[in-house]
Amino acid sequence: MSNRTSLDRPASADRKDATASGGERQRRASEVPSPTDWSSWFGGQRVTIGPRIGPVLTSVSLGEASDTDQEPQDSTAILEKQLALEDGHAIKYRTCSWQKTAALLFSEYICLAIMSFPWSYSVLGLVPGLILTVVIAGIVLYTSLVLWEFCLRHPEVRDVCDIGQMLFWNKEWAWWATAVMFILNNTFIQGLHVLVGAKYLNTMTEADNVGCRTVSFGIVVTLICWLCSLPRTFDMLSKLGTASAFFTFVSVLLATVFAAVQSRPAGYDGSDPVVTAVPVLGTTFVNGMGAFLNISYTFIGQITLPSFIAEMRDPREFPKALWACTVAEIVLFSVVGAVVYAYTGNQYMTAPAFGSLQPLFKKVAFSFMIPTIIFLGVLYASVSARFVFFRVFQNSRHKNEHTLVGWATWASILLATWILAFIIAQVIPFFSSLLSLMSSLFDSFFGFIFWGVAYFRMRRADGGVSLVGEHTVAGYLLAALNVAIILIGVFFLSVGTYASVESIILEFESGTVGSAFSCASNGL
């Protein structure tokens, strides 16, 4: 990864890049830092920003004027104008420091899906599971840095939909295709949290007589999440996210300790837990892919990163938040997955792994997960609502002021997403397969394909040849890596989706999951 021009680049420079000859662009590329420049990996004030891959999108207006020809084309000038336009308004969006952004990242990644790692390790075997954990974390870290570089070059992008249109040559169909996947992905995640919220309430009230339990609890969780998603800026949500990440950490830590200290796993039948270093004989391809996709889903969250970066006052600091979160993820996911699996074994494993604990331990550990059950769904709902709200009120005072129309529209958009999430939670009432399906359908693009394409589009803008910006070992290796990233995404989309759908069919045929809109308990 490399960054190309200084932060003080004049406004005319990017326009010159668009018309410069290939030889001129190649000469410029040879005068700038190499891909091994540390600032391009760790961020900071010395980060340099490369040329744009194209002009400002016609659908993105930076100010009150609608004539995009009057808009600045230089990255630094665009950011400065955005900050200036927010001055004096009651609601400001570019307010997050890297510490607040780190809190948002922690709240997104330190989540309930961690408790699916023990199940994934039980299917894949402990050694392949741990290796995949580190490899996927590394790939996601790298693609997130590519995404960050893209956002630095194009600070007017507000979400992944703008990026999708820019990557695919400003075609309108690319924006619409990305928008559909974007909304569906976020709403599926909201639905997952409605499902898990109902699962928690069922677990805690199993002995009580509650009419139509799962549907009723789903409605309760949906309303609570809608109310909690009403704050309009990430600055406020970052405070809630910090608390969410803390309680999630306590929850998984308690679950890990309880798994080790309990006398026997839930459902104990007299046989000791079986722990294997490699997959057991007879593990099917569908099960193996499901476990792999579960691990991938927990790491892949690039879909929200453009929205986070778009609310940073200094986006150059983003890698600090990213590195801090990635290191914490690898340690926490690996330790929790390995320890819980070691004490639970293959035959007593559930997903999420709370179900492998004795009743009292299960209820105590699961209860600390309440903030993240609510907050993470709230985070994705907020990202979706911004996507719609900012386009409805693109150049309106309702965007930055406290108005009845603005707040009513914001609340209505959020309510619509939560109603759809409730329907998804009732129609697809299972945890692991829903994770796998989301991972294969959406993470193929937002976790892999987009950022491999972004790498080559930016290298092309830098003046390099089709694949490699510099004829160096590092340049060739990065080119090969990004080709591999695109191919991994294609594999997720094709083979992964097949395995996920097949797993869902098998679960329904075996009767291990309830029917749609079931009144029966789905508690652990």
Side-chain angles (χ1 to χ4, degrees), residues 177-188:
T178 308
V180 170
M181 291 190 295
F182 176 74
I183 294 295
L184 284 176
N185 177 82
N186 292 356
T187 310
F188 263 73

Side-chain angles (χ1 to χ4, degrees), residues 119 169 230-231 247 260 297 314 336 338 384 416 432 489:
W119 175 81
W169 299 277
L230 290 176
F247 281 106
Y297 164 80
D314 188 354
V336 171
S384 294
S432 293

Side-chain angles (χ1 to χ4, degrees), residues 124-377:
L124 297 170
L126 187 57
V127 173
L130 289 171
I131 292 173
L132 282 173
T133 298
V134 175
V135 170
I136 294 171
I139 293 175
V140 171
L141 172 66
Y142 172 75
T143 54
S144 297
L145 289 171
V146 172
L147 183 161
W148 164 68
E149 181 186 355
F150 191 94
C151 289
L152 285 182
R153 296 177 184 228
H154 313 90
E156 77 279 7
V157 299
R158 294 163 296 197
D159 47 53
V160 75
C161 302
D162 289 338
I163 294 178
Q165 182 173 350
M166 294 194 75
L167 287 180
F168 297 98
W169 299 277
N170 290 345
K171 300 297 184 182
E172 187 175 352
W173 63 262
W175 187 90
W176 282 105
T178 308
V180 170
M181 291 190 295
F182 176 74
I183 294 295
L184 284 176
N185 177 82
N186 292 356
T187 310
F188 263 73
I189 293 176
Q190 291 175 244
L192 176 65
H193 284 261
V194 172
L195 170 66
V196 176
K199 187 183 290 287
Y200 168 77
L201 292 175
N202 271 311
T203 300
M204 300 302 291
T205 62
E206 199 70 65
D208 299 334
N209 183 20
V210 179
C212 203
R213 305 176 62 95
T214 301
V215 174
S216 300
F217 288 148
I219 293 173
V220 171
V221 174
T222 299
L223 290 174
I224 292 173
C225 289
W226 172 63
L227 291 173
C228 292
S229 59
L230 290 176
R232 275 169 56 177
T233 67
F234 284 137
D235 182 59
M236 174 63 72
L237 289 179
S238 69
K239 298 179 177 65
L240 301 176
T242 302
S244 169
F246 171 76
F247 281 106
T248 302
F249 176 75
V250 172
S251 176
V252 299
L253 181 63
L254 286 174
T256 305
V257 172
F258 290 158
V261 301
Q262 66 183 357
S263 59
R264 61 192 62 181
Y268 184 72
D269 61 6
S271 60
D272 293 334
V274 176
V275 179
T276 58
V278 296
V280 298
L281 187 65
T283 300
T284 66
F285 173 76
V286 170
N287 283 342
M289 275 300 300
F292 169 61
L293 290 170
N294 264 247
I295 294 175
S296 302
Y297 164 80
T298 311
F299 280 106
I300 295 172
Q302 294 96 314
I303 190 171
T304 63
L305 300 191
S307 300
F308 294 169
I309 295 170
E311 292 209 13
M312 292 187 71
R313 191 161 189 89
D314 188 354
R316 294 172 299 178
E317 302 288 344
F318 175 74
K320 295 178 182 179
L322 183 64
W323 278 96
C325 186
T326 301
V327 172
E329 285 178 287
I330 293 173
V331 174
L332 185 61
F333 296 176
S334 300
V335 171
V336 171
V339 173
V340 174
Y341 172 48
Y343 285 98
T344 303
N346 294 331
Q347 65 269 53
Y348 306 114
M349 185 59 63
T350 63
F354 293 115
S356 302
L357 302 176
Q358 291 293 330
L360 178 60
F361 290 156
K362 172 177 63 181
K363 291 181 179 181
V364 172
F366 204 178
S367 292
F368 279 92
M369 194 64 72
I370 293 174
T372 197
I373 290 174
I374 296 173
F375 177 79
L376 191 53

Side-chain angles (χ1 to χ4, degrees), residues 52 56 62 72-83 153-156:
R52 304 175 58 86
V56 176
L62 304 177
Q73 298 289 314
D74 172 69
S75 300
T76 303
I78 291 173
L79 178 58
E80 290 173 349
K81 182 170 185 178
Q82 288 176 340
L83 292 170
R153 296 177 184 228
H154 313 90
E156 77 279 7

